[in-house]
Amino acid sequence: MVAYACADPGGVIVGRADALAALDQALEAAEGGRATSVLLVGEPGMGATTLLEHLRASARTRRPSHVRWRTAAASAPHTDDDIPFALVHDLLTSLLAGRGPTQPAHDQQVAMLEPARPTPGLLSTVLYDAVGSVAARRPVLLTVDDLHWADEASASTLALLAQRLVDQRVALVGATRPPVPDRYATWNVVDLPPLRVEEGLRVRQNVAQCPVDPVAGEAAVRAWGGNPAAIVACHRLLTADQLAGQHPLPDPPPLSAAVRQVWAPVVTALPA
């Protein structure tokens, strides 16, 4: 797994022990028949997508091996078009894909999202029934990324679904940027803060192709705000001499095009 919050190519995640524990507890609770809703909250680049990827992989490889998880994933599109229920449609399609003999019934459920203009209440029932039919046979993991971009109808539907899920083998995990809307008040909110200096240095050393001077490394980690995405992407803009502490770091530190693109919508949304 290659992702911003990883410490090494083996997939060891840095600085997210609390989040990993909460996600593991969510899987355990679902296996025991108690539904859990978790919301990962962090600024761009703090590793939420990495954690969702890690969670889906963990569900597929958990022991005992006879517990076979069903995973479904969706991500809210970053678009100016607020298409009602677009995110719910993608999640339901992912959940019901390739269900064999029961496919006609599932097609009918997906069709309810089409032109009849359903309500969040109706769609939360459709999604609840679909999830329940799968969870009766195996635990279900639903992951929803970029909830801050979700259309209003989908966000309301998922919030209603979380309230209804109680005694089902279901883990519902979302990721969003702060602030957290009131609709997610019943979810277990897990904050993803900036990495501490020593954690940022671990991430930085992992992507370095040459020795990294501790003093220069600490200065760079602080300059990039402990953001793992910035540490990985912008580190490559420094020279070997700068990494080794033989030449001073640029002031301000360089930002990669990818980091600028990710942060542009955030900066634009700030009040003047």
Side-chain angles (χ1 to χ4, degrees):
M1 180 176 63
V2 179
Y4 292 140
C6 285
D8 58 52
V12 177
I13 294 179
V14 176
R16 297 292 178 246
D18 290 346
L20 290 170
L23 295 177
D24 189 64
Q25 290 168 6
L27 295 184
E28 289 184 359
E31 289 173 346
R34 180 171 56 86
T36 304
S37 300
V38 179
L39 187 63
L40 304 174
V41 181
E43 298 288 357
M46 286 299 179
T49 299
T50 293
L51 288 165
L52 293 181
E53 293 171 352
H54 173 84
L55 179 63
R56 290 191 293 270
S58 296
R60 290 190 291 267
T61 58
R62 284 176 71 82
R63 296 292 183 267
S65 58
H66 67 269
V67 179
R68 297 179 59 247
W69 278 78
R70 173 67 174 165
T71 63
S75 179
H78 184 198
T79 175
D80 294 333
D81 297 326
D82 189 27
I83 302 174
F85 303 107
L87 181 59
V88 171
H89 182 283
D90 291 347
L91 184 63
L92 187 58
T93 300
S94 175
L95 175 68
L96 303 179
R99 299 305 301 161
T102 58
Q103 191 66 45
H106 295 153
D107 288 344
Q108 185 177 20
Q109 290 173 318
V110 173
M112 293 185 70
L113 299 174
E114 306 296 351
R117 304 289 297 176
T119 64
L122 174 61
L123 262 299
S124 68
T125 299
V126 171
L127 194 53
Y128 177 85
D129 290 343
V131 170
S133 67
V134 178
R137 298 184 297 276
R138 55 201 292 194
V140 175
L141 169 63
L142 306 174
T143 62
V144 188
D145 203 358
D146 292 331
L147 274 172
H148 47 279
W149 285 329
D151 61 275
E152 182 67 22
S154 288
S156 297
T157 299
L158 290 171
L160 289 172
L161 174 67
Q163 294 175 14
R164 300 186 64 180
L165 292 171
V166 180
D167 297 325
Q168 291 89 351
R169 295 190 297 171
V170 180
L172 172 60
V173 183
T176 189
R177 296 176 186 173
V180 179
D182 292 340
R183 64 167 60 95
Y184 302 122
T186 62
W187 297 41
N188 176 19
V189 174
V190 179
D191 291 320
L192 304 178
L195 298 179
R196 297 192 297 269
V197 170
E198 61 271 22
E199 296 165 345
L201 288 173
R202 285 180 61 192
V203 172
R204 191 157 184 242
Q205 187 62 61
N206 177 55
V207 298
Q209 302 298 316
C210 59
V212 176
D213 176 70
V215 176
E218 179 176 342
V221 169
R222 292 187 186 279
W224 290 319
N227 185 296
I231 293 171
V232 171
C234 300
H235 149 91
R236 298 188 176 96
L237 301 179
L238 300 178
T239 67
D241 287 341
Q242 289 169 336
L243 290 171
Q246 297 174 2
H247 288 171
L249 297 177
D251 186 17
L255 294 178
S256 71
V259 170
R260 291 180 185 275
Q261 182 178 13
V262 167
W263 276 94
V266 180
V267 175
T268 301
L270 293 176

